[in-house]
Amino acid sequence: MTTSASSDLPALGPILAGIRSPDDVKSLSEFDLLKLAEEIREALITNLSRTGGHLGPNLGVVELTIALHKIFSTPKDHFVMDVAHQGYVHKMLTGRADRIDTIRTFKGLNGFLLRSESEHDCYGAGHAGTALSAALGMAAARDLLKDDSHVVAVAGDAAFTCGPTLEALNNIAETTKKFIVVLNDNEWSIDKNVGAIARYFNALQTHSTYASVRNTAAEFVEKIAGKAARNLAHKVEEGAKNLLFPNVLFEKFGIRYFGPIDGHDLPLLIKTFEYLKTLNEPVVLHIITEKGRGYQPALDNPGKFHGLGTYKIEDGSTDTSDTPTASEIFGRTVTDLAKEDEKIVAITPAMPGGSKLDIFKKEIPERYFDVGIAEEHAALFACGLATKGIRPFLSIYSTFMQRAYDMIVHDMALQNLPVRLCMDRGGLSGDDGPTHHGLFDIGYLRPVPGIIHMAPKNEAEFVAMLKWMAKYDDGPTAIRYPRGPIDGSPVDGPCAPIVLGKGELISEGTDVALIGLGTMFEMAVETKKRLEEKGLSVSLVNPRFIKPLDNELLEKVARNAKVVCTFEDHVLMNGFGCGVIEHLNDVSIDVPVERIGWPDEFIEHGKIDGLRELHGLTAENAVEKISKHF
Ligand SMILES: Cc1ncc(C[n+]2csc(CCOP(=O)(O)OP(=O)(O)O)c2C)c(N)n1
Ligand SMILES: CC(=O)[C@@H](O)[C@H](O)COP(=O)(O)O
Ligand SMILES: [Mg+2]
């Protein structure tokens, strides 16, 4: 393997280093393609050990992606990848191999496909379930425009548990002819895939007719690729299971099913795509792959290596921290609460590891529900439970909660159902970038009548709020908390009791009123210190509640201030600060309000501190904005 001349270049093998565009893939011999696959795996394992990323999913699609670029021609043809976290190989084969060591780093390659990053990225993603619908749109446009491009949607087995995927399946056969779906089945979501669809796919792999169709499979390959391919028969028998296995699910959708075949058998994949390309009907190719293929630590622990930070190549070990993450505090607390209250249940849409509800699953499995990648269903399911007096804690990342917004309004709030919405990754998420930053939940929840929305400033308050939510049965409650630790300022003494709609007045002053929401309270504390060094008298408030706002406390500090400043890990548009401005206006308190928060734009990927500095979420900037009023 070629190592870079200097440590700042990616480690690329000679064949991979020579790939400047997919055309370079097409000119390679089968032998070199197999070598290329080895070099891509080396490059993924080596470079991602330094940057982190979605190693497991990408190791699973090396042969698939090579075969796609061997047979099809982007950007004329279109590859639409579901979630697109498995797009690193595609990036390397479309002229970005020399930047693979920048993946998910500031100003580096995005961790998902991105239209603005390359003409070969026809569609961006980050959230699951979008590929088939978007690809169908491209196919319909192709038919209208009468061009002859091919559209290939690549979706994992878990993506098929996602509502929009099934909505697309319902439409494909009535909308277009030439359309290829690749079902990349590795039996894993982030954690083990769940539900009836996962079991159905598994049944296709193990169906007893496999043995009886071996000859048929060999004939199938001969039909695809001519007699020469027949000598691949032993490969076919090994790699191609039930090639012609009648498949109810897809056939009923009017989609011809092929597979399952070995998704790591590069010659077979190439021959199969060569054949499928000639068909003028919607088809699905079911391939069986291994998540983490080629790297034993990832094969041994697909959940950990789905997406991770930096790791040691030799054993896949990662740095650990003694400081618990907010998710760990959440998982532990809700599990302990559930041991005291049999009405408490936990729900996750396919994120037991990320939400740390795997703690709950282990200790109280009978009251734990993983519903698959199905946020809309998760919210409705929680509503149903709540009608019967059950106390559902629904954990969904803030960004994925956007999927369930109508259920929050139409089902939860309108019926005043006591569902506990636990929005993990509330705030900037960092590495994953704009598709994953949880920067809009205040904006989309604040207008909803009757909803309660909280944000804790530190661990003690987080636990206290969860305990309060466990008892509060008079309607929906929501709490937002960050990715990583919530180790804000240590509590001086026990956490003051949580009282609905009441914030905390930490100090009173006559010049400036600082209101720091959630984890941004820390920045308000630092700002207070700097302002006092300038001789100013500062009030400091921990609001605790976004809704209902503590109007009495807000009026008290605003009347005594020459300027108010709010701090939030959320966009400024319709954020917490807007609520403050609205109320002060409504009670005719005419005091200027400065706001520290994210600008009205999608924030790129990168490390949180660097992005805060870049976009002015700092105590320094707060002091500068406030000082203009004196
Ligand atoms: C709407 C939404 N919910 C949850 C996630 C988190 N997520 C990212 S990848 C993934 C699992 C995808 O599994 P699969 O489609 O089988 O692809 P694989 O990683 O196995 O290749 C999940 C749940 C997401 N990206 N989008
Ligand atoms: C691709 C995807 O949506 C998940 O893998 C996500 O990247 C997980 O985010 P965390 O790392 O914050 O759990
Ligand atoms: Mg999968």
Side-chain angles (χ1 to χ4, degrees):
M1 177 183 72
T2 308
T3 48
S4 57
S6 65
S7 62
D8 60 355
L9 288 179
L12 299 178
I15 299 175
L16 178 57
I19 302 285
R20 292 284 180 272
S21 88
D23 291 342
D24 297 326
V25 177
K26 291 178 173 52
S27 61
L28 292 177
S29 66
E30 187 173 292
F31 178 79
D32 281 350
L33 288 174
L34 292 168
K35 278 291 293 162
L36 174 63
E38 287 173 20
E39 292 184 9
I40 288 173
R41 282 199 166 86
E42 274 290 326
L44 287 169
I45 295 163
T46 306
N47 289 291
L48 268 60
S49 71
R50 295 194 291 250
T51 61
H54 289 94
L55 178 65
N58 281 280
L59 288 173
V61 296
V62 172
E63 288 79 13
L64 168 64
T65 313
I66 292 174
L68 285 171
H69 279 291
K70 177 74 177 171
I71 297 301
F72 298 97
S73 304
T74 59
K76 175 176 172 293
D77 294 332
H78 310 298
F79 299 157
V80 186
M81 297 189 173
D82 205 271
V83 184
H85 62 315
Q86 76 291 56
Y88 300 8
V89 182
H90 165 77
K91 291 185 183 230
M92 286 198 266
L93 298 180
T94 51
R96 289 167 276 179
D98 60 345
R99 298 188 62 212
I100 195 60
D101 61 332
T102 70
I103 198 100
R104 299 202 327 170
T105 61
F106 183 62
K107 296 301 179 201
L109 292 177
N110 186 283
F112 307 98
L113 298 197
L114 195 63
R115 287 169 55 84
S116 59
E117 192 176 281
S118 166
E119 62 174 350
H120 297 280
D121 294 7
C122 66
Y123 201 76
H127 288 194
T130 63
L132 270 68
S133 298
L136 185 57
M138 290 175 203
R142 176 211 49 213
D143 299 342
L144 288 170
L145 299 170
K146 297 183 174 33
D147 78 42
D148 59 353
S149 57
H150 288 275
V151 181
V152 182
V154 177
D157 51 299
F160 280 81
T161 66
C162 198
T165 301
L166 302 174
E167 291 164 12
L169 284 175
N170 185 46
N171 272 190
I172 290 170
E174 291 163 9
T175 307
T176 192
K177 292 289 181 203
K178 199 168 61 173
F179 191 75
I180 298 174
V181 175
V182 178
L183 162 54
N184 172 30
D185 186 0
N186 52 32
E187 299 182 59
W188 285 79
S189 178
I190 293 183
D191 301 80
K192 205 75 171 118
N193 199 6
V194 297
I197 288 174
R199 285 195 297 278
Y200 180 75
F201 290 158
N202 183 265
L204 294 179
Q205 294 186 42
T206 55
H207 196 282
S208 58
T209 62
Y210 163 60
S212 67
V213 296
R214 282 188 192 179
N215 284 335
T216 316
E219 287 160 4
F220 170 76
V221 171
E222 187 173 321
K223 183 163 67 174
I224 289 180
K227 287 199 179 310
R230 187 143 182 129
N231 62 15
L232 275 176
H234 66 286
K235 297 277 285 179
V236 168
E237 284 171 6
E238 278 315 303
K241 296 178 181 174
N242 310 344
L243 279 177
L244 299 179
F245 175 73
N247 177 283
V248 172
L249 177 70
F250 292 106
E251 306 291 349
K252 289 300 178 196
F253 278 117
I255 303 168
R256 193 162 161 212
Y257 171 88
F258 290 90
I261 67 170
D262 178 354
H264 299 297
D265 184 331
L266 186 52
L268 179 60
L269 284 166
I270 291 171
K271 301 265 181 296
T272 305
F273 283 127
E274 245 167 8
Y275 171 66
L276 298 182
K277 188 177 179 180
T278 65
L279 299 181
N280 191 32
E281 61 179 310
V283 299
V284 56
L285 175 64
H286 183 184
I287 68 171
I288 310 303
T289 61
E290 280 185 312
K291 203 162 189 172
R293 172 93 165 199
Y295 184 55
Q296 198 56 46
L299 286 169
D300 296 342
N301 194 340
K304 170 182 170 183
F305 282 86
H306 167 84
L308 77 168
T310 58
Y311 56 88
K312 292 188 175 61
I313 295 177
E314 54 272 23
D315 59 3
S317 60
T318 48
D319 292 340
T320 52
S321 160
D322 295 334
T323 309
T325 62
S327 309
E328 285 162 341
I329 294 162
F330 167 73
R332 181 69 266 151
T333 305
V334 172
T335 304
D336 293 344
L337 287 169
K339 288 178 178 174
E340 304 301 319
D341 179 351
E342 291 200 342
K343 291 207 172 71
I344 291 179
V345 302
I347 305 167
T348 175
M351 309 287 284
S355 67
K356 298 315 287 173
L357 280 179
D358 48 7
I359 299 168
F360 197 111
K361 174 183 178 182
K362 187 161 175 276
E363 297 182 25
I364 317 176
E366 70 278 12
R367 282 187 272 144
Y368 163 83
F369 299 92
D370 178 354
V371 297
I373 310 179
E375 286 81 6
E376 303 91 327
H377 162 62
L380 294 169
F381 177 61
C383 287
L385 283 159
T387 62
K388 299 278 292 174
I390 296 296
R391 292 179 163 149
F393 276 76
L394 170 57
S395 166
I396 305 185
Y397 288 15
S398 163
T399 188
F400 302 144
M401 184 73 86
Q402 291 158 190
R403 282 278 172 89
Y405 186 59
D406 184 52
M407 291 76 191
I408 292 169
V409 177
H410 171 270
D411 301 84
M412 236 173 261
L414 197 57
Q415 299 183 100
N416 202 41
L417 293 173
V419 174
R420 285 82 176 161
L421 295 171
C422 304
M423 285 179 292
D424 201 334
R425 276 66 171 176
L428 201 82
S429 99
D431 305 322
D432 279 331
T435 53
H436 284 64
H437 297 321
L439 299 182
F440 308 114
D441 56 85
I442 294 173
Y444 66 69
L445 290 183
R446 216 161 60 82
V448 181
I451 201 157
I452 291 168
H453 194 185
M454 297 181 267
K457 73 178 180 191
N458 60 21
E459 182 175 332
E461 194 164 80
F462 186 25
V463 172
M465 285 179 175
L466 290 171
K467 287 179 176 173
W468 182 87
M469 287 171 85
K471 295 294 180 209
Y472 184 84
D473 279 338
D474 185 20
T477 50
I479 186 167
R480 73 190 311 256
Y481 50 96
R483 182 183 196 225
I486 184 167
D487 53 355
S489 54
V491 179
D492 306 330
C495 174
I498 303 296
V499 177
L500 177 56
K502 290 297 173 197
E504 266 189 311
L505 180 57
I506 309 296
S507 68
E508 285 192 75
T510 56
D511 292 323
V512 184
L514 302 180
I515 308 174
L517 178 70
T519 53
M520 296 292 277
F521 178 78
E522 272 307 282
M523 196 176 289
V525 171
E526 174 59 24
T527 303
K528 174 173 179 287
K529 182 166 154 287
R530 294 181 185 212
L531 291 172
E532 286 170 341
E533 285 163 1
K534 286 172 167 285
L536 292 170
S537 164
V538 182
S539 296
L540 178 61
V541 170
N542 165 26
R544 290 182 154 184
F545 288 83
I546 295 147
K547 185 172 188 178
L549 199 55
D550 185 343
N551 293 329
E552 187 185 346
L553 176 54
L554 173 59
E555 290 167 28
K556 174 186 172 80
V557 297
R559 287 192 201 289
N560 292 333
K562 300 176 183 62
V563 58
V564 174
C565 184
T566 61
F567 300 76
E568 58 193 298
D569 191 357
H570 185 277
V571 290
L572 292 173
M573 291 296 275
N574 199 24
F576 171 73
C578 290
V580 168
I581 291 169
E582 285 163 11
H583 181 70
L584 293 178
N585 174 69
D586 292 350
V587 295
S588 306
I589 295 178
D590 184 12
V591 63
V593 177
E594 295 288 352
R595 294 174 294 148
I596 299 293
W598 297 100
D600 180 21
E601 58 188 78
F602 288 109
I603 307 302
E604 64 268 62
H605 61 275
K607 290 305 171 203
I608 290 173
D609 289 347
L611 290 169
R612 283 187 175 182
E613 186 73 34
L614 180 68
H615 291 283
L617 281 80
T618 61
E620 186 182 357
N621 186 36
V623 169
E624 192 179 323
K625 289 163 80 95
I626 291 163
S627 301
K628 286 181 190 140
H629 297 275
F630 294 92

